[in-house]
Amino acid sequence: MAENPSERPSGGITPMQQMLASGTGALFTSLFVTPLDVVKIRLQAQRTPFSKVLSVQSMPWSIHQPKWKCFLYCNGLMDHLYVCENGNSCSAWYKTPARFTGTLDAFVKIVRYEGIRSLWSGLPPTLVMAVPATVIYFTGYDQLRDFLCAKVDSQGRYIPLVAGAFARLGAVTVISPLELIRTKMQSRQLSYRELRVCIQSAVAQDGWLSLWRGWGPTVLRDVPFSALYWYNYELVKDWLCSRFHLKEATFMVSFAAGGISGMVAAVLTLPFDVVKTQRQIELGNMETLQVTASKSSTWLLMRRIQAESGTRGLFAGFLPRVIKVAPACAIMISTYEFGKTFFQKMNQERQLSSL
């Protein structure tokens, strides 16, 4: 194969084609994974309806405030903070025409009483940031991997680890302020002019770094996850190819390698996910109730969780996270690799036809 770094190991496709492949993968992943999270949130809403949510009317410092509830929604690509006021601003999440007895029962009743489209409630707004973040992440990974391979002139096992970590760091840094802005708009129903004034006042009071509030816990979870994911993905993919005597990875090989590596990375970074979830909920409370967020560091928060709930507290939500992350990783990477293969063959055909 040619030694040109643009052809090895990306397979001779352009950055724009990598972006198209990753964007397509992001859409497919969201379409498959979103119904799982919608059902999860509806079951949570059933267990803790707004009538049981702590009313800030009972608080002496905000007698006339309404009831709020913050929860996390994942479309398979990103976690998004949603803020509901008395169930009105997110009625699609909290209307319950029937009592659900379990996950399968929830699927059936939501489709029967509300229509199949309800399984994708809340998806379009989240894609506005999730798709660009995924495009930056996957394209950045391929470009960094190719650059490092060309510089060190080797296929060192550490290259996916380094490229994955830096690609995720870049994506989180770019998207973090946009996610904060989305939370402000959704929690306070601000117009664009009001939002601009709000951001200007926040920057004037706390500096530009205030736009990256919550960046630390997100990086602490996502960067190690990405490093472990790409490192294990390349290892498992190469092993499967050698095991089945394949010259290049097939769709199923990429699917299996993505699912396995995603599961391993999810388990190993679960304590950071627990901390990030708590930080995001604090951020939602700060934006809606105007309360001060905890100033404790991530490590102090982890120690507090361990003291209150033991080591098991740091691994809370183990099964739901694995069930959500593993298929999302499998679908995303296999679709992405399929897209790259498609563009690679298309480019080869163009080259042959031009001869």
Side-chain angles (χ1 to χ4, degrees):
M1 187 175 287
E3 295 181 359
N4 191 324
S6 67
E7 297 180 0
R8 177 105 165 99
S10 287
I13 66 174
T14 66
M16 182 58 68
Q17 289 173 333
Q18 290 173 343
M19 294 170 69
L20 288 172
S22 57
T24 303
L27 291 173
F28 272 100
T29 303
S30 297
L31 288 174
F32 277 100
V33 176
T34 294
L36 298 176
D37 218 54
V38 168
V39 169
K40 181 200 74 174
I41 292 173
R42 296 291 290 274
L43 289 171
Q44 289 176 346
Q46 179 175 271
R47 289 194 294 269
T48 56
F50 269 90
S51 60
K52 295 183 180 180
V53 176
L54 175 63
S55 172
V56 296
Q57 291 177 347
S58 63
M59 302 292 185
W61 41 266
S62 56
I63 297 176
H64 301 293
Q65 292 278 352
K67 298 176 184 178
W68 297 88
K69 186 175 180 65
C70 300
F71 59 89
L72 291 179
Y73 162 83
C74 179
N75 57 16
L77 303 171
M78 288 177 64
D79 293 328
H80 296 273
L81 185 68
Y82 264 77
V83 186
C84 294
E85 178 185 354
N86 292 323
N88 294 326
S89 61
C90 53
S91 58
W93 302 99
Y94 274 84
K95 59 182 180 182
T96 51
R99 184 78 181 172
F100 305 134
T101 59
T103 301
L104 183 60
D105 184 59
F107 268 110
V108 172
K109 287 181 178 177
I110 288 173
V111 173
R112 178 183 299 168
Y113 295 111
E114 303 172 33
I116 195 169
R117 292 179 61 183
S118 291
L119 292 175
W120 286 272
S121 300
L123 176 60
T126 66
L127 290 180
V128 173
M129 274 172 296
V131 172
T134 305
V135 168
I136 293 170
Y137 173 40
F138 277 78
T139 305
Y141 168 76
D142 269 350
Q143 293 295 316
L144 282 170
R145 184 193 60 186
D146 293 357
F147 174 79
L148 292 173
C149 287
K151 285 294 182 182
V152 301
D153 193 28
S154 72
Q155 286 280 21
R157 294 297 183 188
Y158 65 90
I159 289 178
L161 187 146
V162 175
F166 277 96
R168 193 63 180 181
L169 179 64
V172 170
T173 302
V174 170
I175 295 298
S176 187
L178 300 178
E179 176 67 7
L180 182 65
I181 290 170
R182 189 195 67 82
T183 302
K184 285 180 180 290
M185 289 190 71
Q186 195 247 347
S187 62
R188 303 188 199 176
Q189 301 295 311
L190 299 175
S191 67
Y192 286 104
R193 183 179 179 279
E194 292 170 331
L195 177 66
R196 179 169 56 82
V197 173
C198 180
I199 293 172
Q200 287 176 342
S201 63
V203 170
Q205 181 177 353
D206 302 319
W208 284 100
L209 290 179
S210 63
L211 295 179
W212 279 267
R213 187 179 289 117
W215 177 86
T218 302
V219 166
L220 194 59
R221 183 198 69 172
D222 288 2
V223 170
F225 177 92
S226 180
L228 290 168
Y229 171 74
W230 287 109
Y231 178 78
N232 288 309
Y233 171 72
E234 298 292 352
L235 281 180
V236 174
K237 183 178 71 172
D238 290 346
W239 180 81
L240 289 173
C241 286
S242 63
R243 175 72 174 79
F244 295 102
H245 309 290
L246 300 171
K247 291 183 179 180
E248 59 182 23
T250 63
F251 180 88
M252 290 308 301
V253 165
S254 296
F255 188 92
I260 293 170
S261 56
M263 180 176 62
V264 171
V267 172
L268 294 179
T269 59
L270 187 56
F272 299 131
D273 181 65
V274 172
V275 172
K276 178 181 178 291
T277 299
Q278 189 158 335
R279 284 290 196 212
Q280 280 189 286
I281 298 298
E282 285 183 357
L283 177 61
N285 291 332
M286 184 176 64
E287 293 298 331
T288 56
L289 303 179
Q290 301 298 297
V291 298
T292 303
S294 172
K295 298 292 185 182
S296 60
S297 68
T298 299
W299 300 110
L300 288 176
L301 184 55
M302 291 178 69
R303 289 175 61 184
R304 191 184 78 193
I305 293 172
Q306 186 176 21
E308 293 175 354
S309 308
T311 305
R312 293 182 61 181
L314 293 173
F315 290 88
F318 164 79
L319 192 59
R321 177 160 166 77
V322 169
I323 291 174
K324 178 174 63 178
V325 171
C329 288
I331 295 168
M332 179 64 218
I333 193 62
S334 56
T335 309
Y336 178 56
E337 295 285 11
F338 180 84
K340 291 199 299 182
T341 301
F342 170 80
F343 284 120
Q344 180 184 6
K345 292 180 178 178
M346 185 181 72
N347 292 342
Q348 289 174 349
E349 290 175 358
R350 284 181 177 177
Q351 290 176 352
L352 290 174
S353 63
S354 64
L355 294 179

